[in-house]
């Protein structure tokens, strides 16, 4: 049974490659990328190059177009998990892993700067550093950024990964890394998968709870930044911290 499935999958991949090979040379995505650069390719064509092959009766470009139509945009697609993408017809586990790895590389490249020391002096700098890592995630993620006395980033750590609407954050898990790192202050961050960074009542309640715990431990919370799609909200700027 497994052998038959492997053979069928291999046959479909070969058929897809043959379909693309029958395209005029000037219209094939790979050749156009070589000759004209990646800017010349549409989103579906760039996505098709990551897929490598399509399925029986549909080329990789066809599958890519259907994925974009289903999810709406590359940004929406980029936040999906491998398990979900693997269930899309024509994708499977190997292609899903390749896509997720590609999107994660993009996020990491956007988040990193050439400077050896990253200074987070305000919420705009915090969003510039962490927004690309968090703004298109489909689940709520709570992380902390540990700072030295000059607001230089020592390290960051994911504390909790929750559902689409909430995440569980325990003060012990938040402040243990701060104490171990001997950080001067900490910045709290989490994302809203909806794209709207407006703080909820739970966000405000959690922030005040963590501020109270920090005061008992003689620690300082510098800010709590909520990351949305293309924008952010600073609870320090709102006067909550």
């Amino acid at each position: 049974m497994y052998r038959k499935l492997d053979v069928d999958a291999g046959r479909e991949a070969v058929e897809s490659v043959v379909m693309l090979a029958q395209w005029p040379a000037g219209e094939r995505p790979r050749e156009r990328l070589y000759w004209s650069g990646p800017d010349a390719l549409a989103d579906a064509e760039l996505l098709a190059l990551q897929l490598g092959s399509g399925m029986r009766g549909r080329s990789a470009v066809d599958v890519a177009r259907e994925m974009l139509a289903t999810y709406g945009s590359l940004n929406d697609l980029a936040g999906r998990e491998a398990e979900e993408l693997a269930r899309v017809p024509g994708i499977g586990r190997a292609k899903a892993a390749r896509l997720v790895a590609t999107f994660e590389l993009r996020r990491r490249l956007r988040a990193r700067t050439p400077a050896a020391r990253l200074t987070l002096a305000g919420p705009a700098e915090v969003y510039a550093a962490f927004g690309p890592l968090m703004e298109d995630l489909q689940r709520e993620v709570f992380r902390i950024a540990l700072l030295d006395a000059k607001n230089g980033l020592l390290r960051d750590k994911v504390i909790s990964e929750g559902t689409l609407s909430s995440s569980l954050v325990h003060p012990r898990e938040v402040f243990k890394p701060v104490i171990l790192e001997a950080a001067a202050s900490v910045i709290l961050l989490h994302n809203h998968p909806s794209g709207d960074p407006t703080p909820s009542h739970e966000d405000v309640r959690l922030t005040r709870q963590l501020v109270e715990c920090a005061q008992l431990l003689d620690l300082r919370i510098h800010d709590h930044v909520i990351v949305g799609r293309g924008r952010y909200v600073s609870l320090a700027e709102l006067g909550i911290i």
Side-chain angles (χ1 to χ4, degrees):
M1 177 64 177
Y2 292 112
R3 179 61 181 168
K4 183 179 186 302
L5 288 175
D6 290 343
V7 171
D8 289 343
R11 185 181 297 114
E12 290 182 4
V14 169
E15 289 177 356
S16 173
V17 172
V18 170
M19 289 174 63
L20 281 178
Q22 293 173 346
W23 289 19
E27 297 180 10
R28 298 173 198 163
R30 184 177 296 127
E31 281 74 8
R32 289 178 56 222
L33 185 145
Y34 277 125
W35 295 335
S36 305
D39 290 343
L41 273 63
D43 290 350
E45 294 172 311
L46 291 170
L47 189 59
L49 288 178
Q50 293 301 314
L51 297 178
S53 62
M55 58 189 298
R56 182 174 300 173
R58 286 183 288 175
S59 69
V61 175
D62 294 329
V63 173
R65 285 171 178 160
E66 291 175 7
M67 291 184 74
L68 291 175
T70 298
Y71 290 104
S73 69
L74 275 177
N75 273 334
D76 291 325
L77 180 60
R80 304 294 171 169
E81 297 183 354
E83 183 179 358
E84 178 182 351
L85 295 179
R87 295 194 294 267
V88 176
I91 302 302
R93 296 181 65 180
K95 293 177 185 176
R98 191 182 308 142
L99 288 177
V100 171
T102 298
F103 292 134
E104 180 61 21
L105 282 172
R106 182 203 66 157
R107 281 191 285 266
R108 294 186 186 188
L109 285 171
R110 286 178 58 196
R112 293 175 183 173
T113 63
R117 182 177 180 275
L118 184 62
T119 300
L120 304 178
E125 289 85 357
V126 174
Y127 176 73
F130 292 98
L133 291 171
M134 303 177 68
E135 64 185 358
D136 57 6
L137 298 179
Q138 295 299 307
R139 294 195 299 175
E140 193 165 296
V141 173
F142 190 98
R143 72 196 304 151
I144 58 174
L146 308 180
L147 306 182
D148 62 22
K150 296 183 178 180
N151 295 327
L153 179 64
L154 297 172
R155 60 174 293 213
D156 67 276
K157 179 179 176 60
V158 172
I159 300 298
S160 173
E161 296 187 25
T163 64
L164 282 173
S165 58
S166 65
S167 60
L168 299 176
V169 179
H170 195 285
R172 179 181 61 249
E173 302 302 321
V174 172
F175 296 115
K176 182 179 178 180
V178 183
I179 295 171
L180 292 176
E181 197 74 34
S185 61
V186 59
I187 294 175
L188 314 175
L189 302 103
H190 80 278
N191 65 302
H192 280 180
S194 67
D196 180 2
T198 303
S200 66
H201 293 300
E202 176 62 19
D203 294 334
V204 175
R205 185 201 65 79
L206 174 62
T207 301
R208 287 174 173 162
Q209 178 189 26
L210 293 176
V211 168
E212 290 177 3
C213 292
Q215 290 171 346
L216 292 174
L217 296 170
D218 197 24
L219 299 173
R220 182 189 176 199
I221 294 179
H222 193 63
D223 201 347
H224 184 174
V225 177
I226 302 175
V227 176
R229 183 68 56 80
R231 53 199 177 109
Y232 68 89
V233 167
S234 162
L235 272 68
E237 290 184 337
L238 294 179
I240 295 173
I241 295 179

